[in-house]
Coordinates of all heavy atoms in Angstrom, one line a residue:
V182 N 5.2 0.5 47.5 CA 4.1 0.1 48.3 C 4.4 0.3 49.8 O 3.6 0.1 50.7 CB 3.9 -1.4 48.1 CG1 3.4 -1.7 46.7 CG2 5.1 -2.3 48.4
S183 N 5.6 0.8 50.1 CA 6.0 1.1 51.5 C 7.2 2.1 51.5 O 7.8 2.3 50.5 CB 6.4 -0.2 52.2 OG 7.7 -0.7 51.7
R184 N 7.4 2.7 52.7 CA 8.5 3.6 52.8 C 9.9 2.8 52.6 O 10.8 3.4 52.0 CB 8.5 4.3 54.1 CG 7.7 5.6 54.2 CD 8.3 6.6 53.2 NE 9.7 6.8 53.3 CZ 10.3 7.7 54.2 NH1 9.5 8.4 54.9 NH2 11.6 7.8 54.3
R185 N 9.9 1.6 53.1 CA 11.2 0.9 53.0 C 11.4 0.6 51.5 O 12.6 0.8 51.0 CB 11.0 -0.5 53.7 CG 12.3 -1.4 53.5 CD 12.1 -2.7 54.2 NE 13.3 -3.6 54.0 CZ 13.4 -4.3 52.9 NH1 12.5 -4.3 51.9 NH2 14.5 -5.1 52.8
Q186 N 10.4 0.3 50.7 CA 10.6 0.0 49.3 C 11.0 1.3 48.6 O 11.8 1.3 47.7 CB 9.3 -0.5 48.7 CG 9.5 -1.0 47.3 CD 8.3 -1.8 46.8 OE1 7.4 -1.2 46.3 NE2 8.3 -3.1 46.9
L187 N 10.4 2.4 49.0 CA 10.7 3.7 48.4 C 12.2 4.0 48.6 O 12.9 4.4 47.7 CB 9.9 4.8 49.0 CG 10.3 6.3 48.6 CD1 10.2 6.5 47.1 CD2 9.3 7.3 49.3
D188 N 12.7 3.8 49.8 CA 14.1 4.0 50.1 C 15.0 3.1 49.2 O 16.1 3.5 48.7 CB 14.4 3.7 51.5 CG 13.8 4.7 52.5 OD1 13.5 5.9 52.0 OD2 13.6 4.4 53.7
L189 N 14.6 1.8 49.0 CA 15.3 0.9 48.1 C 15.3 1.5 46.7 O 16.4 1.4 46.0 CB 14.7 -0.5 48.1 CG 14.9 -1.3 49.4 CD1 14.1 -2.6 49.3 CD2 16.4 -1.6 49.6
L190 N 14.2 2.0 46.2 CA 14.1 2.5 44.9 C 14.9 3.7 44.7 O 15.5 3.9 43.6 CB 12.6 2.8 44.5 CG 11.7 1.6 44.4 CD1 10.2 2.0 44.3 CD2 12.1 0.7 43.2
L191 N 15.0 4.5 45.7 CA 15.8 5.8 45.6 C 17.3 5.4 45.4 O 18.1 6.2 45.0 CB 15.6 6.7 46.8 CG 14.2 7.3 46.8 CD1 14.1 8.2 48.1 CD2 14.0 8.2 45.6
G192 N 17.7 4.2 45.8 CA 19.1 3.8 45.7 C 19.3 3.1 44.3 O 20.4 2.7 44.1
S193 N 18.3 3.0 43.5 CA 18.4 2.4 42.2 C 18.8 3.4 41.1 O 18.4 4.6 41.2 CB 17.1 1.7 41.8 OG 17.2 1.3 40.4
S194 N 19.5 3.0 40.1 CA 19.9 3.9 39.0 C 18.9 3.8 37.9 O 19.0 4.5 36.9 CB 21.3 3.6 38.5 OG 21.3 2.3 38.0
S195 N 17.9 2.9 38.0 CA 17.0 2.6 36.9 C 15.6 3.1 37.2 O 14.6 2.4 37.1 CB 16.9 1.1 36.6 OG 18.2 0.6 36.2
I196 N 15.5 4.4 37.6 CA 14.2 5.0 37.9 C 14.1 6.4 37.5 O 15.1 7.2 37.7 CB 13.9 4.8 39.4 CG1 12.6 5.5 39.8 CG2 15.0 5.4 40.3 CD1 12.1 5.2 41.2
D197 N 13.1 6.8 36.8 CA 12.9 8.1 36.3 C 11.7 8.8 37.0 O 11.7 10.0 37.0 CB 12.6 8.1 34.8 CG 13.8 7.5 34.0 OD1 14.8 8.2 33.9 OD2 13.7 6.3 33.7
A198 N 10.8 8.0 37.5 CA 9.6 8.7 38.1 C 9.0 7.7 39.2 O 9.2 6.5 39.1 CB 8.5 9.0 37.1

Side-chain angles (χ1 to χ4, degrees):
V182 298
S183 67
R184 271 300 309 274
R185 178 181 177 277
Q186 190 173 85
L187 174 58
D188 292 338
L189 288 173
L190 291 173
L191 289 177
S193 168
S194 60
S195 297
I196 178 170
D197 300 282

